[in-house]
Every structure is written in structure tokens, then in C-alpha cells.
């Protein structure tokens, strides 16, 4: 029982200041409890409908032959593990998995390293620091598809400004087909995703750095811990919790990226940027094989869960230490 | 040779000025794509082939084409985003307060469920909602998209507002109760006003998310009668692009609400986010 409830239970039910509203007080503890439950009912309903239902429905669909025909006949026969076998045995599955891994690892490493360097840089005092740092967040605020559009223009093979500039500088002699060659498309997509992820990494890591007390550095400098040593012995251990959050959220977010890849390459050329998330979208909404799409997105959930569990365990160990 | 105090000060100032210069160069590199969007949108010829680094003869052709093709879509996006903000705040605010201040036994489970919900890929929700919407007639509708967007914004809103509301002293609510206010009235007249910054922050993120949503727009509309501007840009990109200035003008217009909102709401976000980060 909370302190307030205890107070209410022991105090005489007479309202002290206003005699005009004795009825509300007379609602009683039971009414009070019901009123409290009503505060969470809409949200609970929303979460059940918008998460509970989709997760369960997706799980069921992944064991059904759920296609366009289902919408007409209403029939979705149970097929056991058939959808999972179909998507895993598909010739492309190994490529999708590898692309998902490369896309995620490449993006996370790039975003994190650049975000960390920028956070360390902005952690120092200099004029206009706040405004310049705030402007770094701009790519975060524009819609993803807008970012893709901007990069499509920049990366265009013949007239895109990147190739034009590189040619003028003499770096390349032939225009690079950034988004149209199977050899470089994945790299281009990763680079754009790194660009998009920098603001997130910068923001979280910067606030993590701000939270480390200056006294630690003062004490450290007496022991000769400056520069790289200070980073390794003071900054990094104190930033570990924030780093864990940044990396876990980054991985979970990157695994499910769809907008960016559809906007840049639509999974092509020659499936060079095909990931599990993209393939799930295509099975469901291009081929209308919802069962297979559901099977792939469930695989995606399992991969995300593995990272979440690793994260929780890593944090628990840290607390234990 | 040791430096005098004055000399050391000069060295330090130069060092700081140098850092500002480096920061500006880094920022310029980071924002180049944004600049290129602006630049291209003002280029007179439709393609980037003859694009110069600066629009020497700025033209508004791109913008007039964009408004003609995408004006309606911008309004559609605006309606969806505002609807999402309203639904999110309506549902998430009381829940955030309850999770912050009431003593339910299952609160830690509720929080865990909310955290896990953030890991569910949007494609899972789209997959399931498509079949549901097909049955109940919400496909190709603005309410359908508002509800789908709220899937992501409600849990996020609850988390942001809850962490702020943890700091609301129970005594002020109790004082109102003693004065005869019911639970709901105390919530509306005390908690909501003092939590204003966190409501604005949650609402702003909901707006930005719904405004930028592409996945639900792509999957939960099939007929082309409801086209949020993100989908409009995608369609522009899908067709053989002959008019980059119109694409970029649309992209700019699709970015403006975010920037305006951020400038207006900056102080509220700063207050709301710091409140949230501390707890």
C-alpha cells in the first residue's frame, strides 16, 4: 500500500476544504482501483492489438499457405514447416544472410567509430560547440526516404556529383556504378546507412561522456593517465553501459532496415543488396506469399532476440562485477 | 622557455578557434547531401547532368512541378502525422503516469513488454495488419495508417513520458485530491500541465515518425488514392528519373516540417530529454 493510500484509509472521510464534493471521496478503494486500471486500459489494448496480435498472427501465418488466394477463398491450409524450408532452401538465402550480416556489421562499425570520434571531439570546449553539434543531427530528422533520394542523386553513375568530382580530381578514370554494379552496391548502401546512423551514435555517446565526472580525469592525470591512456583506463570503462545500449539498439535497428535499401537499390542489382528484411517484404507484398514473408520476418525476430539476450546478460555481468 | 600566462591564454584560444574550424569542416561534409538536395532543387534544368555547385540561375520549376504532383500528398502526410500525435498522446499519457506513479505489481513486466515491442520489425506488423485491414476495410485509409504508425509511437511515448513523470512529486497530486479532485481531474489539471515538456517531446517524435513513415505507407495502401509524401518520393524515384529538381524539391518540402518543429520545440525537447535521461 502506498503512503498516500495509507493516509487516505486512516484519515476521516470528511473532505477538509470543499464540502461540495463529498461524492468523489465516497468512490471507495474499489472504485479507486478501477479508476487506476482505466489509466492503462487504452495503452494495454493498443499494445495487444498492435504487437501481440501481429506477433501471434505472424507466427500462425508462417505455418500456413497464406497467399493472395487466401483473401478470396478465406482458406489458408496448414503446411507445417514448409514455409521455413522454402525460404531457407532458396538459393538466395545464404546471400541474404551474408548481406544482412555485412550490412549490419559494416554499418555498426562505421557509425560507432565515427560517432565516437565526433563525440570525443565535441566533448572538448570550443566556440559554437552546441550549435554545430545540433546541426549534426539534421540527417536524423529528415525522412529516411528523403535521405535515400539525396544519395541517389549524388551516387548517380554518369552525372552524380560524386563521380563527377572524383573524375575531375583524377581519382577515377571511369565513372563508378555505385548503385548499379553488384560489386559495389552493398558498399554504397552501407556507406549511406553509416551517414544516417552517425547522429544517433554521436548523441548517445556524447551524453555518456558528459556523465563521466571530471574528478576522475583529474585524479587520473596525477597518475599519469592522459591522452590515450586516459581514454582506455577512464573513459572506456565508464562509457561501457552507454556503449552497450548504443550497439544493441544499433544492431536491432539495422537488422530491420527496409526503407533505405528499397529507396536506393530495391534489393538489386542482381540481389547484391538483398537482405532478410527486404526479402521478407518482397515475399509478402510483391509476390503475395504472406506465409513465406512471415517465416522470414520471424527469423529476423529470433536474430534480434539473440542480440537482446546477449545485451541483457552482458549488463547483468557488469552489475555483478 | 616557459610561456607567460598571457601567451598560454593566446595558445589556448587559438586551439579552440582551430577546433571550431575543424568542426565546421566536418559539419560541411556531413551536411553535403542536404546541401546538394537544396542545390539540385533550384537547378533550372531537370537533371543533374549540368548541375553546378551553386545554383547561379536559381529556378523554381522544380518546386512548381513538386507542388503540382505532390501537394496533395503533403497534406495527406500532415493529416496522418497529426492524427498519430493525437492518438499517441491520448493513449500513452495516462499509461505513462500510471506506470510512473501507481503501485501495480506487474509494472516491471509491462515495461519489459514495452521494451521488447520496440524490437519487433515493422515488416511483422505490416504483414499482420495487411491481412487484418483487408478483412475490416482499413486498407487504403488514413485511419489505418494512423493506427499502424501508432504501433511504434505509443510504446516510445510511454517510455519518454514515464521517465519524466517519475519525478512528479506525489504530494502535489495528493494535495489536489484532498481538495476534492478525482483521480482523472487531478491527472488532467496537475500532472499533464507540469509534464508538458515530456508530452511535447513524445508528440514531436510521434510526428516525425509518422511523417517519415514509408513502410506502412508502402504496404498498407494498394490503390494509390492515399499517398503520403514519402510514398510519392519513392514513386518519383522508381520511374526513370528525368526531373531531379522536382524530386529534390519534394524532398526539401518533406523535410521542412521536421526542421520547423525542431526549431520551435528545441527548448521543450532539451528539457524533456534531460529529464528523461537523468532518471
Amino acid at each position: 500500500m502506498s503512503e498516500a493510500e495509507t493516509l487516505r484509509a486512516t484519515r476521516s472521510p470528511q473532505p477538509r476544504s470543499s464540502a461540495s464534493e463529498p461524492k468523489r471521496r465516497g468512490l471507495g478503494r474499489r472504485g479507486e482501483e478501477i479508476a487506476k486500471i482505466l489509466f492503462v486500459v487504452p495503452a494495454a489494448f493498443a499494445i495487444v492489438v498492435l504487437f501481440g496480435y501481429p506477433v501471434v498472427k505472424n507466427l500462425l501465418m508462417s505455418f500456413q499457405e497464406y497467399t493472395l488466394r487466401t483473401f478470396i477463398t478465406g482458406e489458408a491450409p496448414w503446411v507445417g514447416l514448409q514455409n521455413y524450408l522454402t525460404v531457407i532452401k532458396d538459393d538466395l538465402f545464404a546471400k541474404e544472410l551474408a548481406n544482412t550480416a555485412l550490412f549490419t556489421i559494416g554499418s555498426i562499425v562505421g557509425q560507432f567509430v565515427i560517432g565516437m570520434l565526433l563525440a570525443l571531439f565535441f566533448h572538448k570546449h570550443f566556440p559554437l560547440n552546441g550549435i554545430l553539434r545540433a546541426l549534426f543531427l539534421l540527417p536524423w530528422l529528415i525522412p529516411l526516404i528523403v535521405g535515400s533520394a539525396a544519395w541517389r542523386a549524388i551516387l548517380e553513375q554518369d552525372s552524380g556529383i560524386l563521380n563527377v568530382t572524383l573524375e575531375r580530381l583524377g581519382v577515377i578514370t571511369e565513372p563508378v556504378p555505385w548503385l548499379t554494379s553488384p560489386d559495389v552496391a552493398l558498399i554504397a548502401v552501407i556507406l549511406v546507412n553509416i551517414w544516417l546512423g552517425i547522429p544517433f551514435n554521436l548523441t548517445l555517446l556524447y551524453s555518456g561522456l558528459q556523465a563521466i565526472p571530471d574528478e576522475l580525469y583529474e585524479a587520473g592525470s596525477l597518475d599519469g593517465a592522459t591522452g590515450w591512456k586516459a581514454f582506455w583506463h577512464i573513459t572506456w570503462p565508464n562509457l561501457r553501459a552507454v556503449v552497450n545500449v548504443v550497439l544493441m539498439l544499433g544492431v536491432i535497428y539495422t537488422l530491420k532496415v527496409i526503407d533505405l535499401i528499397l529507396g536506393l537499390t530495391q534489393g538489386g542489382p542482381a540481389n547484391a543488396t538483398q537482405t532478410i528484411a527486404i526479402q521478407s517484404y518482397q515475399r509478402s507484398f510483391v509476390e503475395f506469399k504472406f506465409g513465406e514473408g512471415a517465416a522470414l520476418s520471424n527469423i529476423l525476430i529470433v536474430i534480434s532476440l539473440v542480440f537482446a539476450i546477449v545485451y541483457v546478460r552482458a549488463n547483468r555481468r557488469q552489475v555483478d562485477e | 622557455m616557459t610561456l607567460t600566462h598571457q601567451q598560454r591564454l593566446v595558445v589556448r584560444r587559438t586551439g579552440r578557434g582551430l577546433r571550431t574550424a575543424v568542426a565546421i569542416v566536418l559539419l560541411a561534409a556531413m551536411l553535403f547531401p542536404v546541401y546538394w538536395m537544396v542545390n539540385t532543387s533550384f537547378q533550372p534544368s531537370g537533371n543533374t547532368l549540368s548541375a553546378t555547385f551553386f545554383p547561379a540561375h536559381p529556378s523554381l520549376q522544380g518546386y512548381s512541378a513538386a507542388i503540382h504532383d505532390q501537394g496533395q500528398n503533403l497534406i495527406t502526410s500532415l493529416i496522418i502525422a497529426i492524427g498519430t500525435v493525437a492518438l499517441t498522446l491520448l493513449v500513452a499519457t495516462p499509461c505513462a503516469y500510471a506506470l510512473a506513479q501507481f503501485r501495480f505489481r506487474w509494472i516491471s513486466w509491462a515495461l519489459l513488454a514495452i521494451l521488447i515491442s520496440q524490437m519487433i520489425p515493422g515488416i511483422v506488423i505490416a504483414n499482420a495488419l495487411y491481412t487484418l485491414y483487408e478483412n475490416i476495410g482499413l486498407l487504403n485509409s488514413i485511419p489505418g495508417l494512423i493506427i499502424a504508425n501508432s504501433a511504434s509511437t505509443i510504446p516510445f511515448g510511454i517510455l519518454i513520458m514515464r521517465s519524466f513523470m517519475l519525478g512528479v512529486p506525489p504530494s502535489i497530486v495528493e494535495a489536489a485530491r484532498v481538495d476534492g479532485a478525482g483521480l482523472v481531474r487531478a491527472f488532467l489539471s496537475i500532472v499533464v500541465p507540469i509534464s508538458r515538456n515530456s508530452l511535447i517531446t513524445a508528440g514531436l517524435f510521434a510526428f516525425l515518425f509518422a511523417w517519415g513513415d514509408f513502410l506502412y505507407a508502402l504496404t498498407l495502401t494498394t490503390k494509390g488514392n492515399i499517398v503520403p509524401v514519402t510514398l510519392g518520393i519513392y514513386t518519383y524515384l522508381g520511374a526513370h528519373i528525368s526531373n531531379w529538381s522536382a524530386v529534390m524539391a519534394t524532398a526539401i518540402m518533406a523535410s521542412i516540417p521536421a526542421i520547423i518543429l525542431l526549431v520551435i520545440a528545441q527548448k521543450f525537447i532539451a528539457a524533456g530529454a534531460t529529464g528523461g535521461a537523468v532518471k
Side-chain angles (χ1 to χ4, degrees), chain A residues 284-320:
Chain A
S284 288
F285 293 101
V286 179
E287 298 168 27
F288 293 104
K289 293 172 181 163
F290 284 89
E292 293 175 13
L296 274 169
S297 57
N298 285 337
I299 294 175
L300 205 57
I301 294 183
V302 171
I303 300 176
S304 297
L305 271 178
V306 169
F307 280 97
I309 291 167
V310 168
Y311 162 77
V312 169
R313 292 198 59 157
N315 268 19
R316 186 174 299 161
R317 204 177 310 137
Q318 228 176 16
V319 172
D320 289 343

Side-chain angles (χ1 to χ4, degrees), chain B residues 208-219:
Chain B
L208 289 180
F209 180 88
W211 179 267
D213 163 63
F214 167 67
L215 183 61
Y216 297 131
L218 178 67
T219 52

Side-chain angles (χ1 to χ4, degrees), chain A residues 51 127 152 156 195 266 284, chain B residues 20 30 48 127 151 234 237 244:
Chain A
F51 289 101
R152 277 275 290 271
E156 231 192 17
W195 177 77
Q266 294 180 293
S284 288
Chain B
T20 306
M30 184 74 180
T48 51
N127 236 341
Y234 185 63
L237 284 174
W244 270 110

Side-chain angles (χ1 to χ4, degrees), chain B residues 70-190:
Chain B
Q70 308 268 6
Q72 178 58 43
N73 302 346
L74 284 161
I75 293 169
T76 304
S77 284
L78 197 63
I79 296 170
I80 292 172
I82 291 172
T84 306
V85 172
L87 184 63
T88 302
L89 291 182
L90 208 64
V91 170
T93 315
C95 178
Y97 176 63
L99 292 183
Q101 298 273 339
F102 299 167
R103 310 221 160 172
F104 297 126
R105 266 189 221 103
W106 37 263
I107 281 183
S108 51
W109 290 107
L111 290 173
L112 187 68
I114 291 170
L115 280 176
I116 291 176
S117 75
Q118 311 242 298
M119 292 180 355
I120 308 298
I123 188 73
V124 170
I125 294 162
N127 236 341
L129 288 189
Y130 182 91
T131 59
L132 177 70
Y133 280 10
E134 168 79 24
N135 290 331
I136 62 175
L138 273 179
L139 222 49
N140 300 306
S141 75
I142 286 179
L145 287 179
I146 290 175
I147 292 169
N149 283 321
S150 301
S152 310
T153 56
I154 287 174
F156 189 72
I158 292 175
L159 290 179
I160 285 197
M161 291 189 281
R162 176 184 174 267
S163 58
F164 181 87
M165 289 173 178
L166 283 172
V168 174
S171 56
I172 58 168
V173 176
E174 196 47 38
R177 303 293 309 278
V178 169
D179 287 346
L183 201 56
V184 174
R185 222 181 92 195
F187 169 71
L188 289 178
S189 59
I190 310 260

